[in-house]
Amino acid sequence: MKSEKEKMLAGELYLASDKTLSEDRFKARQLLKELNQTLPGDSNHTNNVVNKLFKQVGKDFGIEPPFFCDYGYNISIGDQVFINFNCVILDINAVNIGDRSMLGPGVHIYAATHPIDAKTRSSFLEFGKPVTIGEDVWIGGGAIICPGVSIGDRSIIAAGAVVTRDVPPDVIVGGNPARVIKDIDQKEKMA
């Protein structure tokens, strides 16, 4: 029989109140407290904490605290990624952020979700869907990326957008729910 953690990682219904998962979240909260209280400019300490917190961290990673997540161990960060102030990643499933991507202030990424059926939802079961952010993606401040979404390389998510479905490469999306506003052509890519 699968553990609740195995169910969570497989995207199946699971109970977050499980002892192991509660302990994992507690460990993450301890690391987050340490990260969020790090003095500005202490990049060695910041790097040490994020390397303990995240599954993978690429080179030249930058983060501006405060930052919040559920577990941390489901987050993989590429090279030269920047995460601005007040970002939240609910990482009950894999969250992958590609090289050279930038998250503006207050960006929320949700791999966590709940059943639509009220009876199932009232049993406190939940599940997750992975989120993938490609390379060279720019996510504007206050945007929300919903569970199961993949964002294509070089795309831009406008500030305040609520992204509920996959985004192709080389587009700008915005609104609630987010929709393609325009394609990014070669001339714009060079600017």
Side-chain angles (χ1 to χ4, degrees):
M1 191 157 129
K2 287 184 180 179
S3 69
E4 296 303 309
K5 184 173 182 174
E6 289 169 330
K7 292 178 195 174
M8 177 185 81
L9 297 173
E12 299 170 8
L13 290 171
Y14 77 99
L15 282 172
S17 60
D18 172 72
K19 183 179 183 220
T20 299
L21 292 175
S22 295
E23 290 170 357
D24 288 353
R25 284 192 307 278
F26 182 75
K27 288 176 191 172
R29 297 301 182 280
Q30 290 175 307
L31 289 168
L32 289 167
K33 182 177 184 202
E34 194 174 338
L35 173 67
N36 291 334
Q37 292 181 344
T38 300
L39 293 173
D42 192 351
S43 59
N44 287 335
H45 186 70
T46 299
N47 291 337
N48 185 41
V49 174
V50 297
N51 280 303
K52 290 178 188 174
L53 182 63
F54 297 148
K55 179 178 182 177
Q56 175 186 337
V57 180
K59 65 182 179 183
D60 301 323
F61 171 63
I63 188 166
E64 292 288 349
F67 170 80
F68 305 96
C69 65
D70 281 324
Y71 299 98
Y73 55 61
N74 292 316
I75 301 171
S76 296
I77 305 286
D79 295 338
Q80 300 175 322
V81 169
F82 179 72
I83 297 177
N84 214 325
F85 300 103
N86 280 317
C87 287
V88 174
I89 300 178
L90 301 184
D91 66 309
I92 69 163
N93 208 296
V95 175
N96 298 301
I97 302 174
D99 295 346
R100 298 169 307 280
S101 289
M102 302 181 295
L103 279 60
V107 168
H108 287 203
I109 299 172
Y110 305 144
T113 191
H114 301 276
I116 293 172
D117 173 65
K119 185 175 181 183
T120 306
R121 192 171 57 247
S122 69
S123 69
F124 300 107
L125 290 169
E126 57 186 70
F127 67 103
K129 296 178 182 179
V131 174
T132 302
I133 296 167
E135 295 183 352
D136 301 298
V137 171
W138 174 19
I139 303 176
I144 297 172
I145 311 302
C146 291
V149 166
S150 291
I151 298 174
D153 295 344
R154 299 169 303 279
S155 284
I156 298 171
I157 309 302
V162 178
V163 183
T164 60
R165 59 181 182 247
D166 290 352
V167 174
D170 300 306
V171 297
I172 300 173
V173 300
N176 180 4
R179 59 179 176 69
V180 173
I181 296 170
K182 69 184 274 185
D183 291 328
I184 301 172
D185 67 27
Q186 286 297 73
K187 290 178 189 173
E188 290 170 319
K189 288 180 195 176
M190 302 281 194

mmCIF file of all heavy atoms in Angstrom, residues 50-51 54-62 75-83 95-103 133-136:
data_model
loop_
_atom_site.group_PDB
_atom_site.id
_atom_site.type_symbol
_atom_site.label_atom_id
_atom_site.label_comp_id
_atom_site.label_asym_id
_atom_site.label_seq_id
_atom_site.Cartn_x
_atom_site.Cartn_y
_atom_site.Cartn_z
ATOM 1 N N VAL A 50 18.912 27.535 0.308
ATOM 2 C CA VAL A 50 18.122 27.085 -0.845
ATOM 3 C C VAL A 50 18.607 25.732 -1.361
ATOM 4 O O VAL A 50 17.801 24.939 -1.845
ATOM 5 C CB VAL A 50 18.035 28.123 -1.997
ATOM 6 C CG1 VAL A 50 17.329 29.386 -1.543
ATOM 7 C CG2 VAL A 50 19.385 28.444 -2.580
ATOM 8 N N ASN A 51 19.885 25.452 -1.215
ATOM 9 C CA ASN A 51 20.387 24.135 -1.616
ATOM 10 C C ASN A 51 19.882 23.023 -0.698
ATOM 11 O O ASN A 51 19.756 21.881 -1.122
ATOM 12 C CB ASN A 51 21.912 24.128 -1.707
ATOM 13 C CG ASN A 51 22.395 24.733 -3.010
ATOM 14 O OD1 ASN A 51 22.019 24.280 -4.090
ATOM 15 N ND2 ASN A 51 23.207 25.766 -2.920
ATOM 16 N N PHE A 54 15.516 23.197 -1.797
ATOM 17 C CA PHE A 54 15.040 22.798 -3.111
ATOM 18 C C PHE A 54 15.657 21.483 -3.573
ATOM 19 O O PHE A 54 16.762 21.128 -3.180
ATOM 20 C CB PHE A 54 15.334 23.871 -4.150
ATOM 21 C CG PHE A 54 14.634 25.179 -3.914
ATOM 22 C CD1 PHE A 54 15.226 26.362 -4.294
ATOM 23 C CD2 PHE A 54 13.384 25.231 -3.322
ATOM 24 C CE1 PHE A 54 14.578 27.579 -4.097
ATOM 25 C CE2 PHE A 54 12.737 26.433 -3.120
ATOM 26 C CZ PHE A 54 13.339 27.610 -3.508
ATOM 27 N N LYS A 55 14.951 20.811 -4.480
ATOM 28 C CA LYS A 55 15.454 19.563 -5.070
ATOM 29 C C LYS A 55 16.717 19.824 -5.873
ATOM 30 O O LYS A 55 17.682 19.073 -5.812
ATOM 31 C CB LYS A 55 14.378 18.951 -5.967
ATOM 32 C CG LYS A 55 14.787 17.677 -6.648
ATOM 33 C CD LYS A 55 13.649 17.112 -7.471
ATOM 34 C CE LYS A 55 14.050 15.793 -8.110
ATOM 35 N NZ LYS A 55 12.907 15.209 -8.845
ATOM 36 N N GLN A 56 16.677 20.904 -6.664
ATOM 37 C CA GLN A 56 17.813 21.244 -7.530
ATOM 38 C C GLN A 56 17.867 22.753 -7.681
ATOM 39 O O GLN A 56 16.826 23.403 -7.840
ATOM 40 C CB GLN A 56 17.636 20.595 -8.894
ATOM 41 C CG GLN A 56 18.691 20.969 -9.893
ATOM 42 C CD GLN A 56 18.394 20.417 -11.277
ATOM 43 O OE1 GLN A 56 17.662 19.449 -11.428
ATOM 44 N NE2 GLN A 56 18.957 21.036 -12.288
ATOM 45 N N VAL A 57 19.076 23.294 -7.648
ATOM 46 C CA VAL A 57 19.282 24.734 -7.844
ATOM 47 C C VAL A 57 20.429 24.909 -8.818
ATOM 48 O O VAL A 57 21.539 24.425 -8.580
ATOM 49 C CB VAL A 57 19.624 25.451 -6.513
ATOM 50 C CG1 VAL A 57 19.824 26.938 -6.746
ATOM 51 C CG2 VAL A 57 18.554 25.214 -5.470
ATOM 52 N N GLY A 58 20.161 25.593 -9.924
ATOM 53 C CA GLY A 58 21.194 25.863 -10.911
ATOM 54 C C GLY A 58 22.132 26.964 -10.467
ATOM 55 O O GLY A 58 21.958 27.580 -9.406
ATOM 56 N N LYS A 59 23.115 27.244 -11.309
ATOM 57 C CA LYS A 59 24.092 28.290 -10.973
ATOM 58 C C LYS A 59 23.479 29.675 -11.153
ATOM 59 O O LYS A 59 22.530 29.867 -11.910
ATOM 60 C CB LYS A 59 25.350 28.123 -11.824
ATOM 61 C CG LYS A 59 25.132 28.323 -13.304
ATOM 62 C CD LYS A 59 26.409 28.088 -14.091
ATOM 63 C CE LYS A 59 26.081 28.282 -15.562
ATOM 64 N NZ LYS A 59 27.193 28.010 -16.430
ATOM 65 N N ASP A 60 24.040 30.625 -10.426
ATOM 66 C CA ASP A 60 23.640 32.035 -10.494
ATOM 67 C C ASP A 60 22.158 32.240 -10.195
ATOM 68 O O ASP A 60 21.487 33.057 -10.831
ATOM 69 C CB ASP A 60 23.994 32.639 -11.859
ATOM 70 C CG ASP A 60 25.474 32.567 -12.165
ATOM 71 O OD1 ASP A 60 26.280 32.733 -11.230
ATOM 72 O OD2 ASP A 60 25.835 32.324 -13.334
ATOM 73 N N PHE A 61 21.653 31.535 -9.207
ATOM 74 C CA PHE A 61 20.256 31.663 -8.776
ATOM 75 C C PHE A 61 20.129 32.868 -7.858
ATOM 76 O O PHE A 61 20.976 33.095 -7.000
ATOM 77 C CB PHE A 61 19.824 30.386 -8.044
ATOM 78 C CG PHE A 61 18.483 30.476 -7.375
ATOM 79 C CD1 PHE A 61 17.328 30.684 -8.119
ATOM 80 C CD2 PHE A 61 18.361 30.339 -6.003
ATOM 81 C CE1 PHE A 61 16.083 30.751 -7.510
ATOM 82 C CE2 PHE A 61 17.127 30.403 -5.384
ATOM 83 C CZ PHE A 61 15.980 30.615 -6.135
ATOM 84 N N GLY A 62 19.044 33.624 -8.049
ATOM 85 C CA GLY A 62 18.782 34.760 -7.176
ATOM 86 C C GLY A 62 17.376 34.708 -6.612
ATOM 87 O O GLY A 62 16.429 34.352 -7.311
ATOM 88 N N ILE A 75 10.783 21.293 -5.897
ATOM 89 C CA ILE A 75 11.100 22.463 -6.732
ATOM 90 C C ILE A 75 12.481 22.293 -7.348
ATOM 91 O O ILE A 75 13.471 22.095 -6.635
ATOM 92 C CB ILE A 75 11.042 23.764 -5.899
ATOM 93 C CG1 ILE A 75 9.646 23.956 -5.289
ATOM 94 C CG2 ILE A 75 11.442 24.962 -6.764
ATOM 95 C CD1 ILE A 75 9.554 25.091 -4.296
ATOM 96 N N SER A 76 12.544 22.385 -8.682
ATOM 97 C CA SER A 76 13.812 22.348 -9.410
ATOM 98 C C SER A 76 13.992 23.668 -10.136
ATOM 99 O O SER A 76 13.108 24.104 -10.883
ATOM 100 C CB SER A 76 13.829 21.197 -10.415
ATOM 101 O OG SER A 76 13.758 19.957 -9.745
ATOM 102 N N ILE A 77 15.138 24.285 -9.915
ATOM 103 C CA ILE A 77 15.437 25.616 -10.444
ATOM 104 C C ILE A 77 16.603 25.504 -11.419
ATOM 105 O O ILE A 77 17.641 24.938 -11.083
ATOM 106 C CB ILE A 77 15.839 26.570 -9.292
ATOM 107 C CG1 ILE A 77 14.781 26.618 -8.182
ATOM 108 C CG2 ILE A 77 16.192 27.945 -9.818
ATOM 109 C CD1 ILE A 77 13.543 27.382 -8.512
ATOM 110 N N GLY A 78 16.442 26.070 -12.609
ATOM 111 C CA GLY A 78 17.515 26.079 -13.596
ATOM 112 C C GLY A 78 18.564 27.134 -13.319
ATOM 113 O O GLY A 78 18.540 27.811 -12.281
ATOM 114 N N ASP A 79 19.480 27.320 -14.254
ATOM 115 C CA ASP A 79 20.548 28.315 -14.142
ATOM 116 C C ASP A 79 19.990 29.718 -14.356
ATOM 117 O O ASP A 79 19.089 29.926 -15.172
ATOM 118 C CB ASP A 79 21.627 28.059 -15.202
ATOM 119 C CG ASP A 79 22.364 26.747 -14.994
ATOM 120 O OD1 ASP A 79 22.365 26.230 -13.860
ATOM 121 O OD2 ASP A 79 22.950 26.248 -15.975
ATOM 122 N N GLN A 80 20.544 30.666 -13.634
ATOM 123 C CA GLN A 80 20.270 32.099 -13.796
ATOM 124 C C GLN A 80 18.791 32.427 -13.647
ATOM 125 O O GLN A 80 18.266 33.316 -14.330
ATOM 126 C CB GLN A 80 20.813 32.598 -15.131
ATOM 127 C CG GLN A 80 22.308 32.408 -15.258
ATOM 128 C CD GLN A 80 22.836 32.783 -16.616
ATOM 129 O OE1 GLN A 80 22.201 32.540 -17.638
ATOM 130 N NE2 GLN A 80 24.024 33.357 -16.641
ATOM 131 N N VAL A 81 18.124 31.755 -12.742
ATOM 132 C CA VAL A 81 16.720 32.037 -12.434
ATOM 133 C C VAL A 81 16.671 33.093 -11.342
ATOM 134 O O VAL A 81 17.505 33.111 -10.435
ATOM 135 C CB VAL A 81 15.987 30.747 -11.983
ATOM 136 C CG1 VAL A 81 14.614 31.047 -11.401
ATOM 137 C CG2 VAL A 81 15.884 29.779 -13.149
ATOM 138 N N PHE A 82 15.677 33.983 -11.417
ATOM 139 C CA PHE A 82 15.481 35.004 -10.389
ATOM 140 C C PHE A 82 14.049 34.949 -9.881
ATOM 141 O O PHE A 82 13.103 34.935 -10.671
ATOM 142 C CB PHE A 82 15.780 36.407 -10.933
ATOM 143 C CG PHE A 82 15.561 37.477 -9.903
ATOM 144 C CD1 PHE A 82 16.438 37.615 -8.836
ATOM 145 C CD2 PHE A 82 14.472 38.320 -9.990
ATOM 146 C CE1 PHE A 82 16.228 38.596 -7.871
ATOM 147 C CE2 PHE A 82 14.253 39.303 -9.035
ATOM 148 C CZ PHE A 82 15.133 39.448 -7.971
ATOM 149 N N ILE A 83 13.901 34.917 -8.560
ATOM 150 C CA ILE A 83 12.591 34.934 -7.903
ATOM 151 C C ILE A 83 12.538 36.176 -7.021
ATOM 152 O O ILE A 83 13.332 36.326 -6.091
ATOM 153 C CB ILE A 83 12.368 33.653 -7.066
ATOM 154 C CG1 ILE A 83 12.373 32.420 -7.986
ATOM 155 C CG2 ILE A 83 11.074 33.750 -6.275
ATOM 156 C CD1 ILE A 83 12.236 31.096 -7.245
ATOM 157 N N VAL A 95 7.542 21.141 -9.459
ATOM 158 C CA VAL A 95 7.548 22.478 -10.051
ATOM 159 C C VAL A 95 8.945 22.675 -10.621
ATOM 160 O O VAL A 95 9.933 22.674 -9.882
ATOM 161 C CB VAL A 95 7.221 23.572 -9.024
ATOM 162 C CG1 VAL A 95 7.364 24.958 -9.654
ATOM 163 C CG2 VAL A 95 5.814 23.382 -8.451
ATOM 164 N N ASN A 96 9.013 22.794 -11.943
ATOM 165 C CA ASN A 96 10.292 22.953 -12.643
ATOM 166 C C ASN A 96 10.340 24.322 -13.298
ATOM 167 O O ASN A 96 9.438 24.667 -14.067
ATOM 168 C CB ASN A 96 10.459 21.863 -13.700
ATOM 169 C CG ASN A 96 10.482 20.484 -13.070
ATOM 170 O OD1 ASN A 96 11.324 20.192 -12.237
ATOM 171 N ND2 ASN A 96 9.535 19.642 -13.455
ATOM 172 N N ILE A 97 11.398 25.067 -12.999
ATOM 173 C CA ILE A 97 11.571 26.413 -13.553
ATOM 174 C C ILE A 97 12.843 26.402 -14.386
ATOM 175 O O ILE A 97 13.937 26.148 -13.867
ATOM 176 C CB ILE A 97 11.631 27.469 -12.439
ATOM 177 C CG1 ILE A 97 10.342 27.416 -11.589
ATOM 178 C CG2 ILE A 97 11.856 28.860 -13.024
ATOM 179 C CD1 ILE A 97 10.346 28.306 -10.374
ATOM 180 N N GLY A 98 12.702 26.680 -15.684
ATOM 181 C CA GLY A 98 13.806 26.596 -16.627
ATOM 182 C C GLY A 98 14.807 27.725 -16.535
ATOM 183 O O GLY A 98 14.553 28.774 -15.927
ATOM 184 N N ASP A 99 15.940 27.517 -17.174
ATOM 185 C CA ASP A 99 17.048 28.471 -17.182
ATOM 186 C C ASP A 99 16.586 29.872 -17.587
ATOM 187 O O ASP A 99 15.737 30.035 -18.475
ATOM 188 C CB ASP A 99 18.130 28.030 -18.180
ATOM 189 C CG ASP A 99 18.796 26.721 -17.800
ATOM 190 O OD1 ASP A 99 18.639 26.260 -16.651
ATOM 191 O OD2 ASP A 99 19.479 26.149 -18.673
ATOM 192 N N ARG A 100 17.188 30.853 -16.913
ATOM 193 C CA ARG A 100 17.022 32.282 -17.232
ATOM 194 C C ARG A 100 15.580 32.765 -17.108
ATOM 195 O O ARG A 100 15.212 33.782 -17.695
ATOM 196 C CB ARG A 100 17.594 32.612 -18.622
ATOM 197 C CG ARG A 100 19.095 32.359 -18.729
ATOM 198 C CD ARG A 100 19.590 32.437 -20.154
ATOM 199 N NE ARG A 100 18.843 31.573 -21.065
ATOM 200 C CZ ARG A 100 19.036 30.258 -21.204
ATOM 201 N NH1 ARG A 100 19.954 29.645 -20.494
ATOM 202 N NH2 ARG A 100 18.299 29.551 -22.050
ATOM 203 N N SER A 101 14.766 32.079 -16.353
ATOM 204 C CA SER A 101 13.390 32.541 -16.145
ATOM 205 C C SER A 101 13.340 33.473 -14.946
ATOM 206 O O SER A 101 14.163 33.391 -14.034
ATOM 207 C CB SER A 101 12.440 31.364 -15.973
ATOM 208 O OG SER A 101 12.290 30.706 -17.214
ATOM 209 N N MET A 102 12.365 34.393 -14.971
ATOM 210 C CA MET A 102 12.235 35.407 -13.928
ATOM 211 C C MET A 102 10.805 35.420 -13.409
ATOM 212 O O MET A 102 9.857 35.426 -14.200
ATOM 213 C CB MET A 102 12.571 36.786 -14.483
ATOM 214 C CG MET A 102 13.956 36.909 -15.067
ATOM 215 S SD MET A 102 14.312 38.569 -15.674
ATOM 216 C CE MET A 102 13.138 38.722 -17.012
ATOM 217 N N LEU A 103 10.671 35.453 -12.077
ATOM 218 C CA LEU A 103 9.372 35.580 -11.437
ATOM 219 C C LEU A 103 9.315 36.946 -10.772
ATOM 220 O O LEU A 103 10.165 37.265 -9.924
ATOM 221 C CB LEU A 103 9.162 34.504 -10.375
ATOM 222 C CG LEU A 103 8.712 33.117 -10.825
ATOM 223 C CD1 LEU A 103 9.702 32.463 -11.770
ATOM 224 C CD2 LEU A 103 8.475 32.225 -9.625
ATOM 225 N N ILE A 133 7.740 25.462 -16.100
ATOM 226 C CA ILE A 133 8.001 26.775 -16.679
ATOM 227 C C ILE A 133 9.253 26.623 -17.523
ATOM 228 O O ILE A 133 10.304 26.194 -17.026
ATOM 229 C CB ILE A 133 8.181 27.831 -15.580
ATOM 230 C CG1 ILE A 133 6.861 27.960 -14.800
ATOM 231 C CG2 ILE A 133 8.614 29.168 -16.169
ATOM 232 C CD1 ILE A 133 6.960 28.720 -13.526
ATOM 233 N N GLY A 134 9.150 26.940 -18.799
ATOM 234 C CA GLY A 134 10.253 26.752 -19.734
ATOM 235 C C GLY A 134 11.415 27.701 -19.492
ATOM 236 O O GLY A 134 11.474 28.408 -18.483
ATOM 237 N N GLU A 135 12.305 27.746 -20.448
ATOM 238 C CA GLU A 135 13.468 28.626 -20.378
ATOM 239 C C GLU A 135 13.121 30.026 -20.870
ATOM 240 O O GLU A 135 12.263 30.202 -21.734
ATOM 241 C CB GLU A 135 14.606 28.051 -21.221
ATOM 242 C CG GLU A 135 15.108 26.732 -20.684
ATOM 243 C CD GLU A 135 16.289 26.183 -21.462
ATOM 244 O OE1 GLU A 135 16.640 26.750 -22.527
ATOM 245 O OE2 GLU A 135 16.862 25.185 -21.003
ATOM 246 N N ASP A 136 13.797 31.019 -20.289
ATOM 247 C CA ASP A 136 13.664 32.419 -20.708
ATOM 248 C C ASP A 136 12.234 32.939 -20.577
ATOM 249 O O ASP A 136 11.793 33.783 -21.361
ATOM 250 C CB ASP A 136 14.172 32.600 -22.143
ATOM 251 C CG ASP A 136 15.622 32.205 -22.287
ATOM 252 O OD1 ASP A 136 16.475 32.839 -21.637
ATOM 253 O OD2 ASP A 136 15.907 31.243 -23.027
#
